[in-house]
Amino acid sequence: MDYGINIWGENNFFIDNDRLRINYANQPALIDIIKDLEDQGIKGPLLLRFPHLIRKQINSLYSNFKQAIKEFDYKGEFKAVFPLKVNQFPTFVKPLIKIAKNFNYGLEAGSKAELILAMTYNNKNAPITINGFKDKDMIRLAFIAGFMGYNVTITIEGLNELNSIIEVSREYDKFPVFIGIRIRLHTSGVGVWAKSGGYESKFGLNSTEIIEAIEILKKENILDKLKMIHFHIGSQINDIGPLKKAIREAGNIYADLRKLGAKNLSAINIGGGLAIEYSQWENKRDRNYSIREFSNDVVYLLKEIAIKKNVPMPDIFTESGRFIASPSTILIAPVIELFSQEYNAKALRLKEKNPDLIEELFDLYNLINETNYIEYFHDALDHFESLLTLFDLGMIDLIDRSNAEILVNLIIKKAIIFATYKGFKNKELKAINEKTQEKYLANFSIFQSLPDFWGLKQRFPIMPITKLNMSPNRSATIWDITCDSDGEIPFNKETPLYLHEVDLSKESYYLAFFLVGAYQEILGMKHNLFSYTNEAIITFDENGDYKIEFLERTQKIRDILIDLDYEIDEIENLLKENLQNTKLDEEEKKELLGELFLLLNDMVYLKD
Ligand code: PLP
């Protein structure tokens, strides 16, 4: 069982005997990094960020487009910006900016706060593009960025924004930004994130509005500022077909605008949407193209249109975010309980004299083997039914019922192990295994760390990071620690996840969730007051050894309450008062208060 690592892993990780290793530098095992962090007192869920994987993705984007440009003798340039909405956290953005310098890779901002980040951190000659709805202050910020020397393009989402730009420009004696127009294409992407494109989309100008915009720009004598047209047909475009249609549509609009006099219009911004392969199952692949095919198609189609319409080949801009950010981040959640472990032989409370059916179950449990397991499994289920009926009739007691539950579960477990050796030839056992999944309780919150699973059922690759030389035989449902039944990744026969039988009193077991670097943290919710996880940036030194370059602990209980605008002094005083008003003696009150205040300063996640 390789958990589909060859489908989604992009050669970034590999299984070496029992453990998962990072395929970079000295190839550390993930478990060793985790143990190292645990030695520094880190407990609970952990986000690991790997800047070398950001670099790999940026490099892949640029080198594929460069290759396509060379291959098709394309005359325009390739340029790209990172859309900050995908991940605004400093632990991601700061390493990205360092890597971006060599590529002249810029930033895209969709709000005033993101624009401030772009104006603060962007590399000087790298482009800044500005999308989203804008008020005059946002346009003023864009002008200030232009005055700082940044190469800024404000993309208008509607005609009123163009009018605002014109009004703001009158406040200054120079016009230090370029203008882009977001076009409302006919084409939209496919899948859960497809709504950003198409005629019903929230964004962009239709053909009539585009012509009107050109007329306004001409009238104001600033048509030379129009540099770019922009579209975005949705995130995670799984099918290349709609993208090709969108490129043809946008290419023709570009050519016609040039003919209408937009002589400085020199770039087509194809937005984001470049998909990531999230699937762990060969027959459920998400994406039907590679980055090579994507870049070839964009370059080839734009060249074809430019030649046909006799206009210069435009520069190609992309704003791909998911593709750049997803692979760099792994979420690690320690498993803290396996629910079937309640069914342990040690928990049996056999009596001097047990009901006959219990005695028989006990024999089945002791004598089950690889030849009789199907028959014994059937017998056990049959006996269990009878014992439950006897309980309803008041003929056996709660202790007998508990013994029956334990024995039947132990028999099923043994039968599943024998069936695994034989490749699950027995359909009934396979079905039972699928039905009686093991519940793995993991120390994390789906709402905080995988909101797209909660909201859109987006699957992320999941695998354990140890025991990989052993066959996982438990069909697994993952429970998070929130008090919400939505905090669950249920076993699904179509996309099955099997995990190992583990004795957590003897060993640790961690689940890793991959490709979580895009959108997840910022969309994450503090449901049940579970907040950001622990976070570490892992880099590699010149000898190839890994380094924990940065480590931030998850929030304390008191801090998350402060975030919600509670006055912590008020909470502390009221807690103190609640203890003071009891009949406990002074010494006990003092001790409990000390303990309470320590716990208030503890982390929000579970500790053990
Ligand atoms: N550009 C725009 C305008 C967007 O709205 C988005 C996200 O939806 C992106 C770029 C990034 O898309 P992706 O992360 O799919 O590459």
Side-chain angles (χ1 to χ4, degrees), residues 84 93-94 97 107 109 112-124 128 141 144-145 148 150 152:
L84 281 165
V93 171
K94 289 189 182 180
I97 294 289
L107 292 172
K112 285 186 267 192
E114 286 180 359
L115 181 50
I116 290 284
L117 281 183
M119 294 164 70
T120 312
Y121 293 108
N122 197 40
N123 290 305
K124 262 288 143 49
I128 293 179
L141 282 175
I144 296 171
M148 283 174 174
Y150 285 118
V152 178

Side-chain angles (χ1 to χ4, degrees), residues 336-462:
I336 49 180
E337 200 167 333
L338 265 66
F339 278 79
S340 80
Q341 279 178 1
E342 289 155 22
Y343 300 119
N344 187 316
K346 283 193 208 121
L348 283 170
R349 289 178 180 79
L350 293 174
K351 302 171 180 167
E352 286 272 293
K353 175 87 190 94
N354 296 292
D356 288 349
L357 284 175
I358 297 281
E359 294 288 351
E360 279 179 41
L361 276 181
F362 194 66
D363 289 343
L364 291 175
Y365 168 56
N366 283 323
L367 300 174
I368 189 168
N369 63 33
E370 62 186 80
T371 48
N372 65 21
Y373 71 93
I374 294 176
E375 183 190 337
Y376 278 28
F377 157 72
H378 284 146
D379 290 350
L381 290 188
D382 201 41
H383 289 2
F384 192 42
E385 276 300 312
S386 308
L387 282 159
L388 288 176
T389 310
L390 289 177
F391 181 76
D392 289 347
L393 295 171
M395 295 170 74
I396 63 168
D397 64 15
L398 193 59
I399 292 182
D400 298 323
R401 180 175 159 148
S402 150
N403 288 334
E405 281 171 3
I406 295 170
L407 285 166
V408 170
N409 268 284
L410 292 175
I411 291 165
I412 291 176
K413 255 195 209 176
K414 277 194 177 178
I416 286 172
I417 290 169
F418 292 129
T420 322
Y421 296 150
K422 305 211 160 175
F424 272 117
K425 289 208 182 85
N426 181 285
K427 275 196 195 132
E428 209 174 344
L429 260 172
K430 188 164 185 255
I432 283 278
N433 190 23
E434 285 166 358
K435 249 196 244 154
T436 57
Q437 309 114 27
E438 180 61 274
K439 311 291 190 298
Y440 291 78
L441 179 69
N443 195 358
F444 79 124
S445 155
I446 287 172
F447 301 89
Q448 172 61 233
S449 296
L450 302 176
D452 276 343
F453 177 78
W454 172 71
L456 299 163
K457 294 288 163 266
Q458 171 63 43
R459 300 284 310 210
F460 294 87
I462 306 172

Side-chain angles (χ1 to χ4, degrees), residues 559-573:
D559 294 331
I560 197 164
L561 297 176
I562 294 170
D563 274 3
L564 294 191
D565 280 345
Y566 281 99
E567 308 228 350
I568 200 67
D569 292 346
E570 180 180 87
I571 288 185
E572 286 179 352
N573 288 336

Side-chain angles (χ1 to χ4, degrees), residues 272-540:
L274 181 51
I276 279 284
E277 184 55 72
Y278 288 104
S279 177
Q280 292 188 268
W281 303 273
E282 192 55 53
N283 59 346
K284 297 269 176 210
R285 278 186 184 260
D286 287 326
R287 208 176 47 168
N288 72 356
Y289 60 89
S290 64
I291 167 99
R292 169 54 54 88
E293 182 180 346
F294 179 92
S295 40
N296 281 352
D297 282 350
V298 174
V299 171
Y300 175 79
L301 288 170
L302 287 178
K303 176 176 174 180
E304 203 182 47
I305 295 166
I307 289 178
K308 202 156 131 209
K309 292 225 163 164
N310 197 20
V311 289
M313 294 177 214
D315 290 341
I316 298 167
F317 253 83
T318 78
E319 292 176 348
S320 276
R322 184 184 298 276
F323 177 83
I324 299 295
S326 302
S328 66
T329 309
I330 306 173
L331 170 72
I332 307 279
V335 172
I336 49 180
E337 200 167 333
L338 265 66
F339 278 79
S340 80
Q341 279 178 1
E342 289 155 22
Y343 300 119
N344 187 316
K346 283 193 208 121
L348 283 170
R349 289 178 180 79
L350 293 174
K351 302 171 180 167
E352 286 272 293
K353 175 87 190 94
N354 296 292
D356 288 349
L357 284 175
I358 297 281
E359 294 288 351
E360 279 179 41
L361 276 181
F362 194 66
D363 289 343
L364 291 175
Y365 168 56
N366 283 323
L367 300 174
I368 189 168
N369 63 33
E370 62 186 80
T371 48
N372 65 21
Y373 71 93
I374 294 176
E375 183 190 337
Y376 278 28
F377 157 72
H378 284 146
D379 290 350
L381 290 188
D382 201 41
H383 289 2
F384 192 42
E385 276 300 312
S386 308
L387 282 159
L388 288 176
T389 310
L390 289 177
F391 181 76
D392 289 347
L393 295 171
M395 295 170 74
I396 63 168
D397 64 15
L398 193 59
I399 292 182
D400 298 323
R401 180 175 159 148
S402 150
N403 288 334
E405 281 171 3
I406 295 170
L407 285 166
V408 170
N409 268 284
L410 292 175
I411 291 165
I412 291 176
K413 255 195 209 176
K414 277 194 177 178
I416 286 172
I417 290 169
F418 292 129
T420 322
Y421 296 150
K422 305 211 160 175
F424 272 117
K425 289 208 182 85
N426 181 285
K427 275 196 195 132
E428 209 174 344
L429 260 172
K430 188 164 185 255
I432 283 278
N433 190 23
E434 285 166 358
K435 249 196 244 154
T436 57
Q437 309 114 27
E438 180 61 274
K439 311 291 190 298
Y440 291 78
L441 179 69
N443 195 358
F444 79 124
S445 155
I446 287 172
F447 301 89
Q448 172 61 233
S449 296
L450 302 176
D452 276 343
F453 177 78
W454 172 71
L456 299 163
K457 294 288 163 266
Q458 171 63 43
R459 300 284 310 210
F460 294 87
I462 306 172
M463 68 182 285
I465 58 172
T466 53
K467 294 179 93 72
L468 296 168
N469 53 351
M470 290 159 80
S471 169
N473 54 22
R474 294 314 313 264
S475 51
T477 284
I478 297 170
W479 281 349
D480 74 3
I481 55 167
T482 63
C483 304
D484 191 315
S485 46
D486 272 357
E488 168 184 64
I489 302 177
F491 181 78
N492 180 339
K493 270 200 283 189
E494 300 292 308
T495 51
L497 176 71
Y498 292 92
L499 295 174
H500 298 91
E501 186 71 46
V502 267
D503 181 349
L504 292 171
S505 64
K506 298 207 175 85
E507 59 183 327
S508 312
Y509 193 62
Y510 300 88
L511 296 180
F513 300 80
F514 293 86
L515 304 175
V516 299
Y519 300 102
Q520 299 315 290
E521 292 137 74
I522 205 68
L523 291 175
M525 289 156 267
K526 295 184 177 175
H527 188 26
N528 261 160
L529 300 191
F530 291 113
S531 70
Y532 305 126
T533 61
N534 299 295
E535 200 178 331
I537 302 182
I538 309 295
T539 54
F540 294 85

Side-chain angles (χ1 to χ4, degrees), residues 83 85-86 131 182 230 232 235-236 272-273 319-322 519:
K85 66 166 77 77
V86 180
N131 299 321
R182 178 150 176 179
H230 173 240
H232 170 73
S235 197
Q236 184 69 4
E319 292 176 348
S320 276
R322 184 184 298 276
Y519 300 102

Side-chain angles (χ1 to χ4, degrees), residues 213-240:
I214 298 293
E215 285 164 359
I216 297 172
L217 288 166
K218 260 188 197 158
K219 193 172 120 239
E220 293 292 326
N221 227 359
I222 47 170
L223 187 56
D224 61 328
K225 295 289 173 192
L226 177 63
K227 184 169 145 201
M228 177 187 284
I229 55 169
H230 173 240
F231 69 85
H232 170 73
I233 59 169
S235 197
Q236 184 69 4
I237 308 170
N238 285 330
D239 179 359
I240 193 83

